[in-house]
Amino acid sequence: MLFSFIASTAVHLPDLINDLGLILVTAAISVLIFRKLKQPLVLGYLVAGFLASTNFNFFPTVKDTNSIEVWAEIGIIFLLFSLGLEFSFKKLLKVGGTASITALTQIIVMIVLGYYAGRFMGWDNMNCIFLGVILSISSTTIILKAFDELGVKSQKFAGNVIGALIVQDIVTILMMVLLSTIAVSQQFSGSELIQSLLKLFFFLSIWFISGIFFIPTLLKKLKHLLSDEMLLIISLALCLLMVIFASEVGFSPALGAFIMGSIIAETNEAEHIEHLVKPVKDLFGAIFFVSVGMLINPDTLVEYAFPVMILTVITVFGQSISSTIGTLISGQSLKESIQTGMSLSQIGEFSFIIATLGTTLKVTSDFLYPIVVAVSAVTAFTTPFMIKYASPTANFIEKKLPKKWVKKIELYSANSQAIKTVSTWKTVIKEYLVQVILYSVILFAIILMSKNFLLPLLEDVIYGNIIAALLTLLVLAPFLWALSLKRVAKAEVQELLKNKKYYGPVIVLIFIRIVIAVFFVGLMLNNFFSPEIALLAFAFSIVFMMIFPKNINRLYHKIEKRFIINFNQRETTTKNINRNNLSPWDGHMANFTICAESDLAGKTLEEVKIRETIGVNIAFIKRGGLHIYVPSKEEKLYPNDEISIIGTDEQVKQFAEYLEFHKFSTESLIESEIVLQQYELNDQWFIGKTIRESNLREKTNGMIVGVEHNGRRILNPESNLLFSKNDIVWVVGDKKKIKAFFN
């Protein structure tokens, strides 16, 4: 009886379970072999997919490929969600300039190369356009997995790469809209592109503002009720909720997952959630890479070997060179630019989506998709090796280039990262623009939601439109006050008002803000009443705003305070230090916390000899409420001290291993006023004096950690070193004091 039941159950086992079992078994065997061979696991997943596909008949094959594709899409969602948890909005803003320049340079160059490569092979115009866009987008999932396997995610260039990938994904959404328009109308529609840009900006702003306002508060209030299981479920629910929102408004589900991850990254629970989500991400991520391997068709590789070979070469070298140039233009060092460029040398999931779009719209040929899959598979194999050998390649190129070129690149990098002065007038205009745009988005969103949800809900109620209008006005009131009357850039405005010629323009700026606020009041009332009644209601609204200005002011500041607390919640709790750039030596500030059981506790810095053994400097110690900047060698380390060290990627890695041996624990890095800054010496008063004679340490609480003199780099220079003109120096210490000392 039991055996017959088991046999009956086996017969009716769904194909999905059979396929999943086959995939995981094949993947497990492949990754074990690749781990033994010390190769990246992503390659093992691709091989597993190829072995489990219908293209390889020596092993059992997957039966239901459609279900596997759904699971693979879930894998992309969780991979992007995890990426968002590690790469918050603040980190994106910090590399935003570099990321944008790198991504846009790469996209423009690759679209041109792809288009003319298609023309060279005799393809029609539409195939060439789609090919150019397909080759311009690197693979976030493949790079992220390779970074994990190679252990380089904490290095400086990785932040630039990930930022460029996010910019690429956002641009891809716009290009998909543009391609759809071109495919349907056979002509370029600039208005469609502008509408898509505004739509994207609007929804990103609303999601970010509302998410930061509500989600950290929600998690904080429920913290005492949340077990690991509940926190995992809530996190995944929030992720999928944002995925649904993004899909409903016409954006990529993966973009929605990334946004929610970035919002949660600002909470105290970010690291805990990241730890809980990791097994889920690993499972579905493995299925995604296996599904990519299943698309590898040997017949396609043979039939279209020539196009695949040409496009693979164009992708690898074109992406690498264009990204390197873009990163150099943004002001990064030669080594970091080459590392960034070689990491972006592949195509992946978004390329599949664009190729599928062309097939669905019936504007591309049948051969384009399999060629894209083949190129993606080949470049996925080459990606780990490109990343692995990026640093040696950079060192080789730096040695072979003329010294004058290397010097000019380093000076350009140093100058581009130097602090630039901004005029008072520009600061005021910038602050006013941010104020107007931010609150205009919020006001428009509230009016839109009220019109589409609140008004229909109350339409059958007596005076329902009046009730809806009053409720909407109450919600709008604090933001209307902030838009029209909140003081912005107070010190700068007062400085401008001292000069009579700026008095008029400042008044005009204030008047414009008031007019925009009045416009939104009129827009809201026009949605609820006829024009005549709306005019009376408008007058009532103005009177209401004038009678209760203090209450509205108080309510707004309460909302603003809650948003700022939530936005800074993570750094308020951890109070660690931001990593800063040190180009061209790839040095940065990294933060660590001493465990209570560390055997280094109680020892002085002189006894520990961190600088002598590893080459790193301690720039900062935080001990409770005490801040010790650039500590002396007599300073002792105590349990729970938070220390910030300065070093290159390799030195930080060695230091982390050293701390692990002594039972230290690492913490995340965030912003502080203690910075690592570089300067080129021109006409400063201390040129010709030694470091000791300049009294830099006494005047800035700072320390010179590096000097480049006549092309020779000196780390941790002695105090008797003379400052010379055109030297490049790297100094750590108080930001304001250092700036005043060198300027």
Side-chain angles (χ1 to χ4, degrees), residues 530-596:
S530 63
E532 295 79 9
I533 299 177
L535 186 60
L536 293 174
F538 178 78
F540 169 78
S541 301
I542 299 299
V543 173
F544 174 82
M545 299 281 288
M546 294 176 65
I547 294 175
F548 302 103
K550 292 184 178 180
N551 303 76
I552 296 172
N553 183 3
R554 193 179 303 114
L555 177 60
Y556 167 76
H557 283 293
K558 186 176 181 180
I559 294 171
E560 184 182 57
K561 182 179 179 181
R562 169 53 54 192
F563 180 85
I564 292 173
I565 289 173
N566 285 350
F567 188 63
N568 297 318
Q569 185 183 96
R570 195 171 178 183
E571 34 288 72
T572 303
T573 302
T574 56
K575 294 181 181 177
N576 294 322
I577 301 176
N578 182 39
R579 69 188 295 174
N580 293 276
N581 293 329
L582 174 59
S583 175
W585 290 340
D586 196 28
H588 55 280
M589 298 177 73
N591 184 249
F592 301 88
T593 301
I594 302 178
C595 290

Side-chain angles (χ1 to χ4, degrees), residues 357-652:
L357 176 67
T359 303
T360 304
L361 296 173
K362 301 184 187 301
V363 294
T364 57
S365 304
D366 294 336
F367 60 78
L368 183 60
Y369 188 86
I371 287 177
V372 170
V373 172
V375 173
S376 174
V378 175
T379 54
F381 273 98
T382 60
T383 294
F385 301 103
M386 295 289 287
I387 297 172
K388 184 177 181 180
Y389 294 108
S391 184
T393 302
N395 294 333
F396 175 80
I397 292 175
E398 188 172 2
K399 290 179 181 178
K400 295 298 181 182
L401 284 176
K403 290 184 178 180
K404 289 183 179 180
W405 293 14
V406 175
K407 180 68 175 178
K408 287 182 179 180
I409 292 173
E410 291 175 356
L411 288 175
Y412 174 77
S413 174
N415 292 332
S416 65
Q417 295 182 42
I419 301 172
K420 297 180 180 179
T421 58
V422 180
S423 70
T424 304
W425 181 243
K426 288 182 179 179
T427 301
V428 171
I429 292 177
K430 179 183 176 181
E431 292 292 330
Y432 271 61
L433 281 175
V434 171
Q435 190 86 351
V436 169
I437 293 172
L438 175 64
Y439 291 110
S440 294
V441 168
I442 295 174
L443 291 168
F444 186 75
I446 294 172
I447 294 171
L448 195 64
M449 292 177 65
S450 180
K451 177 184 177 182
N452 292 330
F453 298 104
L454 182 61
L455 190 58
L457 187 66
L458 299 175
E459 62 181 355
D460 295 329
V461 179
I462 299 176
Y463 303 118
N465 57 338
I466 297 177
I467 296 172
L470 287 173
L471 292 174
T472 305
L473 183 62
L474 286 173
V475 178
L476 290 175
F479 302 106
L480 287 169
W481 176 88
L483 172 61
S484 57
L485 300 175
K486 182 187 175 185
R487 296 182 67 184
V488 181
K490 299 178 185 178
E492 289 80 2
V493 170
Q494 289 298 322
E495 184 179 341
L496 289 176
L497 290 176
K498 293 177 182 178
N499 191 332
K500 291 184 178 181
K501 71 176 183 178
Y502 290 122
Y503 188 83
V506 170
I507 298 300
V508 170
L509 287 177
I510 297 173
F511 179 74
I512 290 173
R513 289 171 57 194
I514 295 173
V515 169
I516 295 173
V518 170
F519 164 78
F520 278 108
V521 174
L523 178 66
M524 183 271 292
L525 296 173
N526 190 55
N527 286 313
F528 293 92
F529 306 106
S530 63
E532 295 79 9
I533 299 177
L535 186 60
L536 293 174
F538 178 78
F540 169 78
S541 301
I542 299 299
V543 173
F544 174 82
M545 299 281 288
M546 294 176 65
I547 294 175
F548 302 103
K550 292 184 178 180
N551 303 76
I552 296 172
N553 183 3
R554 193 179 303 114
L555 177 60
Y556 167 76
H557 283 293
K558 186 176 181 180
I559 294 171
E560 184 182 57
K561 182 179 179 181
R562 169 53 54 192
F563 180 85
I564 292 173
I565 289 173
N566 285 350
F567 188 63
N568 297 318
Q569 185 183 96
R570 195 171 178 183
E571 34 288 72
T572 303
T573 302
T574 56
K575 294 181 181 177
N576 294 322
I577 301 176
N578 182 39
R579 69 188 295 174
N580 293 276
N581 293 329
L582 174 59
S583 175
W585 290 340
D586 196 28
H588 55 280
M589 298 177 73
N591 184 249
F592 301 88
T593 301
I594 302 178
C595 290
E597 63 272 17
S598 172
D599 59 8
L600 296 180
K603 295 183 179 180
T604 65
L605 297 183
E606 185 177 21
E607 292 172 331
V608 173
K609 294 184 178 180
I610 296 173
R611 177 173 179 174
E612 292 80 1
T613 56
I614 302 176
V616 299
N617 292 283
I618 293 183
F620 176 93
I621 297 178
K622 181 181 180 302
R623 185 175 299 145
L626 177 65
H627 295 73
I628 305 170
Y629 302 115
V630 192
S632 65
K633 61 183 180 180
E634 290 80 19
E635 189 65 49
K636 288 185 177 181
L637 297 174
Y638 291 98
N640 299 318
D641 274 359
E642 298 173 11
I643 64 174
S644 178
I645 62 101
I646 303 170
T648 64
D649 286 331
E650 184 61 32
Q651 288 172 333
V652 170

Side-chain angles (χ1 to χ4, degrees), residues 13 141 250 456 505 573 608 661:
L13 194 65
T141 47
T573 302
V608 173
F661 178 77

